Amino acid sequence: MGLTGDEWQSIALTAELAGLTTLILLALAAPLAWWLTRTGSRWSSAVSALVSLPLVLPPTVIGFYLLLALGPQGAVGGTLERLGLYHLAFSFTGILIGSIIYSLPFAVQPLREAFAAIDPRVLDAAATLRASAWDRFFSVVLPLSRGGVLTAVVITFAHTIGEFGVIAMLGGNIAGETRVVSIAIYDHTQALEYDAAHRLSAVLLCFSFVTLLAFYAINRRVMSPIKPQ
């Protein structure tokens, strides 16, 4: 039996969430990872610990506090309500914020490792050619860190695809708004609709395998040394 319209809607919503999370995190994580790699600030350890919190905290804890903050009585949600706007809990924007926070370390860590492996002399040489800090970052750092960038993109996207706890706490189960594939699978299982749960689970399983297979194949080519002619 093929997928239903509601199931395709959940798949499309999941893909949109994962895509936006990855794009936003790549823009945020790259400068943050670069700062953590290069800074000598005494705050770097505290920032590193804060970024890494989602690795050790249960997703439900993060979702719970985000629900309090973004809900109608929270600091962010309450402020929006007083401005005549709608709070962010149980909305696509809310689960997008939750996904960005929860997936942050999965984007930052690969980039940080890639940046740390760059020989500082390369950057010094670019500086002697009067390349600005931004020029050095975009024309030297990012190309030399392409393996780390690829890893950050794939891991962030795949991690968001399978996220459940944060979304369940913060977004609930609203069709077309917050009902992603992981939530749909849980609902089907709770209703003893195992055929439907199997269909969506099989989609995620196949997608995850193909994504990782493509990642390892591409990463092998990207990171392979250039052979002399």
Side-chain angles (χ1 to χ4, degrees):
M1 182 182 296
L3 296 170
T4 67
D6 288 341
E7 290 168 347
W8 277 116
Q9 186 180 56
S10 295
I11 292 173
L13 186 67
T14 303
E16 181 182 2
L17 177 65
L20 287 174
T21 298
T22 302
L23 289 175
I24 294 171
L25 269 183
L26 194 60
L28 296 177
L32 176 58
W34 180 245
W35 181 80
L36 289 172
T37 303
R38 304 282 292 182
T39 187
S41 171
R42 61 180 180 177
W43 297 103
S44 60
S45 295
V47 173
S48 296
L50 187 63
V51 168
S52 300
L53 267 180
L55 295 175
V56 296
L57 279 178
T60 49
V61 172
I62 298 174
F64 171 70
Y65 282 113
L66 284 175
L67 178 61
L68 293 182
L70 302 181
Q73 305 301 321
V76 177
T79 300
L80 292 175
E81 291 273 304
R82 288 190 291 274
L83 293 174
L85 303 173
Y86 189 72
H87 64 82
L88 298 177
F90 308 109
S91 68
F92 181 81
T93 302
I95 63 173
L96 177 61
I97 293 172
S99 296
I100 290 170
I101 293 174
Y102 187 57
S103 294
L104 180 61
F106 296 91
V108 170
Q109 192 57 36
L111 291 172
R112 192 174 177 181
E113 292 177 359
F115 293 161
I118 296 176
D119 189 340
R121 292 174 295 181
V122 176
L123 298 176
D124 294 338
T128 61
L129 297 174
R130 297 184 179 179
S132 66
W134 281 109
D135 287 338
R136 295 196 298 272
F137 184 75
F138 284 104
S139 62
V140 178
V141 173
L142 289 182
L144 290 177
S145 306
R146 59 190 183 278
V149 173
L150 176 61
T151 301
V153 167
V154 172
I155 291 180
T156 301
F157 188 86
H159 181 258
T160 305
I161 288 288
E163 170 49 26
F164 175 78
V166 171
I167 295 176
M169 294 292 293
L170 181 59
N173 179 20
I174 304 174
E177 186 75 15
T178 64
R179 195 181 194 222
V180 296
V181 172
S182 58
I183 299 295
I185 292 172
Y186 177 79
D187 287 344
H188 286 316
T189 303
Q190 289 293 99
L192 302 180
E193 298 170 350
Y194 292 138
D195 288 342
H198 171 68
R199 285 197 303 270
L200 287 176
S201 297
V203 169
L204 280 189
L205 178 62
C206 293
F207 173 81
S208 299
F209 177 77
V210 171
T211 299
L212 291 175
L213 182 64
F215 164 68
Y216 284 119
I218 296 172
N219 195 49
R220 183 178 179 182
R221 296 186 62 180
V222 168
M223 298 305 294
S224 61
I226 300 175
K227 297 180 179 179
Q229 299 294 327

